[in-house]
Amino acid sequence: MTALNKKLLRDLWRMRGQLLTVALVVACGIATYVTMRGSYESIANAQREYYSKYHFADVFATLKRAPNSLEPSIAAIPGVSSVQTRIVVEVTLDVPGLQEPALGRLVSIPEHGTPSLNDLCIRRGRYIEPGRRDEVLASEAFANANRLDVGATIGAVINGRWEPLRIVGIALSPEYVYEIRGAEVFPDNKRFGVFWMSREALGPAFNMEGGFNDISLALSPGGSEAEVLSRLDNLLEPYGGLGAYGRIDQVSNRFLSDEIVQDRITGIFIPTIFLAVAAFLIHVVLSRLVHTQRNAIGLLKAFGFSNASVGLHYLGFALAAVLLGTLLGVPLGIWLGRGLSQLYQDFFRFPELRFVPTLSMIVSVVAISGGAACFGALSALRSVAALPPAEAMQPEAPARFRPGIAERLGLQRFVPLSARMILRNLERRPWKAMLSTLGLALAGAILIVGFYFYDAIEHLVRVEFQTAAREDVGITFNEPLGSSARYSVERLPGVFRAEPFRVVAARLRFEHRSRRVGILGLADDRDMRRIVDRDFHVVDLPPNGIVLSASLSKILGVSPGDTLTIEVLEGERPVRPMIVAGTVEDLIGTSAYMDIHALNRLMREGETISGAYLSVDTLVAPKLYSFLKQTPAVSGVNVREAMLQSFRDTIARSLGISTGALIAFACVIAFGIVYNGALIALSERAHELVSLRVLGFTHTEIGWMLLGEQAILAGVSIPMGFLLGYGICGLLVYSMQSELYRMPLVISSRTYAFACITVTLASVLSGLLISQKLRKLDLIAVLKARE
């Protein structure tokens, strides 16, 4: 072992506390990178393999009813390689152990063989047998949520009659990786599930013998999706086609793809902050090391060691921190990544989702960490190279002392001596003070980012579930009904009041842009379902015109006052011009709203409704649910409290691992920065402090002089951290926006308080540790002059 390596080991042992804190920060950055990047790669690979192996379709369309004889014409469209026609219907379910009605989506499958597209992965049980009309395969998410297994029986309203359905298998489909209904954003697996049933049984039950109402296509290599969509729409229009769409707009795939994009963003963004802090700490520690070893550097150069060899010697400290951080961070990241992958498996249903960290990912994160360490050590190494041996072996020139700000302002009589010394030291080294403050501010900012997600979700709950949606129960009919249905609904058991609504599938066009949406018509005397923006402002609907969500207006490129074209995709399919009356900054989906009477006029129909929002007596609610389970006209029932509870459970689990780890890492960074700053200040001012101790100052007084400086820096860093945290959250919100939902930029006072308390506690704990070191200082050894 060379002399330089022996010296490096001695320095590492002597500075083991600082080495460990820097290594912990590096480990946090590496663990975050491995967790987030590994999760992104794992879920992206699982999506690609699942779609390929189980033949996920490229184009989808729904319609009212078309004869099977149309299938050859669809298959003849240029660019189409495979066609699968199906029957898809939604029915009310009576699930054992579930008080409320559930909704089941029945999807037809062939009795012989398996689907050519959107194939099924059977997890338990078996495929349906020919001739057994009551057998179904249940989606795994629904079965697990309701504790159903192979052999269980549920009831369903099929063609107006209760029919028992026997579960013979638990299955997955690439079409329902994220299993939600319609325009919902968060899954309620307990009350919505997908079931695959024999086409021979499903067709006669819903008058679909010899016909279909759903179609999936696979494109041949090089096939034009736009051309296929256009031709398919033309073929399906006479049969009530609701507009074909590509894989990118398929609901499950859209949610999954957006999640992958967001994972990629956070997998780059968050680790960058950690590694930037690690680079900062390495810079501070190495600068201090070079400063205190001027004589050693001079001697090394005088004995013939080159600038490169001396520089590499001091770079070894940074690389040792990276090595130790890698040894700690990689296993921690793999452990967290596996937990996150298990969480993903509960939300996104894959046959297999394994967290497998690749060698290239490990090598890249080590290279990135090493690069950050080298960048942080750069300025310190430049000072090593700049020191001539003769100058380095001389004592450093004493600092120039001049009156501080208190003296210049004439306040010295009112400011204690210890406080004046703290202020003079900060004023003499402003860049060091600024860098220390910035490091602490970054720690506070990361804490704010970690808790921001909780604040955003809580804000979303208050907007969507407490201010906008205030009904107890929402019911949807199988098909639009006349105005008399409203009065029938109001006479249901336990119903205090009913507010009707109308939903119309339509395509909105403006110039060359278009988007398929459901226009929601609301009553003018509504109170249970309101349109609310992200700031809790209730938006009134005009008697004429349409109100669009801001995200939809941006997609279409329209502003209030513009006229767009509404192409209705049901009934007589009228095409009408409509003025955009306004926009609303909502948080979920791309929505369009109209007054229900204006929507009825658009459709040239009477007071037709699609369903109603209900205010219900909770004591009579079980009787209402029992009645709705047996009502063939009702296709869906949503209980607001149940949806809210499902939402909270979903979010609590999803944030538990990632946000908890982020907050824990931020606490480590806060302590590491404060402790390092105080330790460096002690080493730099030890001679001065011991001199004061010899002159008669007490331990408490010199401790205040040292730690008071750190307290001021921590105090200044807290509001700076608030600003940085808010800015980082703003960047995250901007980069993670999607059509499906927008995270509000809302940070609660509780989050700011937690960040403040954490930084304060880190400062107090570091102060206690440094105070112990201060008491153990050897006065004689420290006072020896370095000649």
Side-chain angles (χ1 to χ4, degrees):
M1 182 178 292
T2 64
L4 285 179
N5 288 336
K6 291 180 180 179
K7 179 180 179 300
L8 175 62
L9 292 176
R10 286 197 300 270
D11 288 340
L12 291 174
W13 178 250
R14 182 170 53 86
M15 301 176 66
R16 57 189 178 274
Q18 290 166 278
L19 173 68
L20 182 60
T21 53
V22 175
L24 286 175
V25 174
V26 173
C28 291
I30 290 175
T32 307
Y33 183 91
V34 171
T35 300
M36 295 184 173
R37 184 72 183 184
S39 298
Y40 155 70
E41 291 184 358
S42 297
I43 196 171
N45 290 336
Q47 179 195 41
R48 184 169 52 253
E49 293 173 2
Y50 190 18
Y51 285 2
S52 174
K53 184 176 180 181
Y54 290 90
H55 315 297
F56 186 41
D58 298 303
V59 172
F60 305 84
T62 57
L63 55 148
K64 192 171 183 64
R65 186 186 188 280
N68 290 337
S69 58
L70 187 65
E71 186 172 339
S73 299
I74 297 173
I77 296 175
V80 173
S81 65
S82 180
V83 178
Q84 177 176 278
T85 60
R86 304 181 299 182
I87 301 168
V88 178
V89 293
E90 292 187 350
V91 299
T92 302
L93 301 177
D94 184 10
V95 181
L98 184 63
Q99 185 182 60
E100 308 89 22
L103 181 68
R105 179 172 296 169
L106 303 182
V107 180
S108 70
I109 53 176
E111 282 189 353
H112 302 278
T114 58
S116 59
L117 296 176
N118 307 317
D119 198 1
L120 301 179
C121 171
I122 298 181
R123 306 280 276 182
R124 301 190 297 276
R126 58 171 174 82
Y127 196 75
I128 59 173
E129 291 183 352
R132 305 299 295 270
R133 302 300 177 91
D134 63 337
E135 293 187 349
V136 295
L137 303 176
S139 60
E140 185 179 56
F142 182 83
N144 289 351
N146 289 284
R147 298 181 180 178
L148 301 174
D149 209 337
V150 175
T153 300
I154 61 173
V157 179
I158 297 180
N159 201 19
R161 298 195 309 268
W162 271 106
E163 298 286 349
L165 299 178
R166 189 162 60 90
I167 298 173
V168 298
I170 308 298
L172 299 175
S173 168
E175 193 177 4
Y176 297 100
V177 177
Y178 191 70
E179 193 170 308
I180 59 173
R181 179 196 179 199
E184 294 176 356
V185 175
F186 297 96
D188 185 1
N189 298 132
K190 202 166 188 178
R191 296 166 186 85
F192 173 73
V194 182
F195 297 83
W196 293 271
M197 189 176 183
S198 163
R199 183 163 182 168
E200 285 72 10
L202 202 55
F206 290 93
N207 300 317
M208 283 284 179
E209 287 181 288
F212 62 92
N213 66 353
D214 188 274
I215 188 167
S216 301
L217 308 179
L219 300 180
S220 56
S224 171
E225 182 181 285
E227 180 68 17
V228 171
L229 292 176
S230 176
R231 294 196 177 213
L232 183 60
D233 280 341
N234 291 335
L235 285 173
L236 298 181
E237 185 173 353
Y239 304 99
L242 299 181
Y245 53 93
R247 180 187 289 185
I248 191 174
D249 292 319
Q250 200 265 347
V251 174
S252 171
N253 178 70
R254 170 61 67 85
F255 271 92
L256 179 57
S257 298
D258 281 356
E259 180 66 29
I260 291 172
V261 170
Q262 291 178 6
D263 284 350
R264 183 174 180 272
I265 293 171
T266 54
I268 295 173
F269 198 80
I270 301 299
T272 299
I273 299 175
F274 284 100
L275 295 177
V277 174
F280 163 76
L281 283 180
I282 288 172
H283 162 74
V284 171
V285 173
L286 281 184
S287 297
R288 174 254 172 179
L289 187 61
V290 170
H291 175 74
T292 57
Q293 294 196 4
R294 286 171 54 91
N295 289 353
I297 292 171
L299 285 171
L300 290 173
K301 289 188 175 183
F303 278 105
F305 288 96
S306 65
N307 284 331
S309 59
V310 176
L312 288 174
H313 164 69
Y314 285 96
L315 182 62
F317 181 93
L319 297 180
V322 170
L323 177 61
L324 183 56
T326 300
L327 295 176
L328 295 173
V330 170
L332 178 60
I334 293 173
W335 179 73
L336 290 172
R338 286 175 177 166
L340 194 58
S341 293
Q342 182 58 50
L343 182 67
Y344 276 138
Q345 183 70 347
D346 292 338
F347 288 102
F348 300 105
R349 296 288 171 165
F350 293 99
E352 185 177 31
L353 177 60
R354 293 179 301 153
F355 182 86
V356 181
T358 61
L359 180 62
S360 60
M361 182 181 68
I362 302 298
V363 171
S364 64
V365 71
V366 173
I368 293 170
S369 304
C374 293
F375 179 77
L378 184 61
S379 61
L381 297 179
R382 288 176 60 188
S383 62
V384 168
L387 277 177
E391 180 183 340
M393 286 187 290
Q394 294 177 3
E396 187 179 7
R400 290 185 58 190
F401 288 89
R402 58 189 177 90
I405 187 171
E407 289 82 1
R408 294 199 300 274
L409 295 177
L411 301 176
Q412 60 270 24
R413 289 177 299 173
F414 307 102
V415 181
L417 175 62
S418 57
R420 278 184 278 158
M421 294 180 68
I422 291 172
L423 293 174
R424 278 200 300 267
N425 193 58
L426 290 173
E427 189 179 358
R428 192 167 69 246
R429 298 175 177 176
W431 284 107
K432 177 192 169 189
M434 288 176 60
L435 287 174
S436 299
T437 304
L438 177 61
L440 279 171
L442 282 172
I446 295 173
L447 286 165
I448 289 173
V449 171
F451 272 91
Y452 155 72
F453 292 102
Y454 288 107
D455 292 337
I457 294 302
E458 191 60 35
H459 183 86
L460 191 148
V461 166
R462 291 199 302 270
V463 170
E464 296 296 330
F465 290 98
Q466 297 173 359
T467 308
R470 309 200 306 172
E471 75 277 5
D472 297 315
V473 178
I475 61 172
T476 305
F477 303 137
N478 283 325
E479 58 184 18
L481 301 177
S483 59
S484 60
R486 174 177 182 177
Y487 304 104
S488 299
V489 168
E490 287 180 335
R491 291 195 293 270
L492 291 175
V495 174
F496 292 135
R497 185 167 180 265
E499 287 183 6
F501 65 87
R502 177 78 167 100
V503 178
V504 173
R507 188 181 300 278
L508 307 185
R509 292 191 182 276
F510 184 76
E511 296 176 347
H512 63 282
R513 294 175 288 271
S514 68
R515 184 53 55 110
R516 182 175 177 268
V517 300
I519 303 175
L520 177 61
L522 297 173
D524 50 7
D525 59 344
R526 63 189 177 279
D527 180 64
M528 287 182 281
R529 178 56 64 101
R530 303 184 295 179
I531 305 171
V532 180
D533 66 14
R534 63 180 63 198
D535 297 319
F536 299 96
H537 298 142
V538 179
V539 178
D540 293 325
L541 286 175
N544 295 292
I546 189 169
V547 174
L548 306 178
S549 64
S551 58
L552 180 57
S553 67
K554 184 178 180 181
I555 292 169
L556 296 173
V558 298
S559 302
D562 291 338
T563 300
L564 52 74
T565 301
I566 297 179
E567 299 177 2
V568 177
L569 300 176
E570 63 181 63
E572 298 181 357
R573 304 174 74 93
V575 178
R576 304 276 190 268
M578 185 64 63
I579 293 177
V580 178
T583 61
V584 55
E585 290 279 354
D586 54 6
L587 296 174
I588 293 181
T590 50
S591 306
Y593 308 96
M594 290 181 68
D595 178 86
I596 190 170
H597 303 298
L599 186 55
N600 290 148
R601 290 195 297 271
L602 173 74
M603 297 293 293
R604 295 181 180 176
E605 60 188 12
E607 295 183 0
T608 304
I609 63 176
S610 302
Y613 302 114
L614 311 179
S615 175
V616 175
D617 183 351
T618 55
L619 297 178
V620 191
K623 185 177 179 181
L624 173 66
Y625 299 150
S626 178
F627 182 85
L628 291 176
K629 287 180 181 180
Q630 303 174 38
T631 305
V634 175
S635 65
V637 178
N638 292 321
V639 180
R640 185 176 64 92
E641 283 300 321
M643 292 175 62
L644 177 57
Q645 186 59 47
S646 175
F647 175 84
R648 289 190 182 278
D649 293 343
T650 298
I651 295 304
R653 294 184 60 208
S654 64
L655 291 180
I657 294 178
S658 56
T659 304
L662 189 63
I663 293 170
F665 291 166
C667 293
V668 170
I669 286 181
F671 175 78
I673 291 175
V674 174
Y675 179 72
N676 260 295
L679 201 59
I680 289 170
L682 173 61
S683 64
E684 290 176 342
R685 301 183 61 190
H687 190 278
E688 171 189 342
L689 295 174
V690 169
S691 298
L692 292 173
R693 182 78 180 88
V694 171
L695 292 174
F697 284 79
T698 64
H699 279 294
T700 302
E701 289 172 327
I702 64 172
W704 162 244
M705 292 178 192
L706 175 65
L707 299 178
E709 178 180 334
Q710 303 304 312
I712 292 174
L713 295 177
V716 173
S717 74
I718 289 173
M720 186 185 296
F722 291 170
L723 292 175
L724 280 174
Y726 189 87
I728 293 171
C729 290
L731 289 174
L732 281 174
V733 168
Y734 176 79
S735 61
M736 295 173 66
Q737 283 194 18
S738 70
E739 293 182 23
L740 300 173
Y741 60 92
R742 278 77 59 190
M743 298 290 283
L745 183 55
V746 177
I747 302 176
S748 68
S749 56
R750 177 188 59 192
T751 294
Y752 287 122
F754 182 85
C756 177
I757 291 171
T758 301
V759 173
T760 302
L761 288 177
S763 301
V764 171
L765 180 58
S766 300
L768 293 174
L769 295 175
I770 296 301
S771 179
Q772 294 298 318
K773 288 182 174 292
L774 189 61
R775 291 179 179 275
K776 295 178 181 180
L777 281 179
D778 188 334
L779 304 185
I780 298 175
V782 173
L783 287 174
K784 288 182 179 179
R786 302 176 191 154
E787 297 294 345

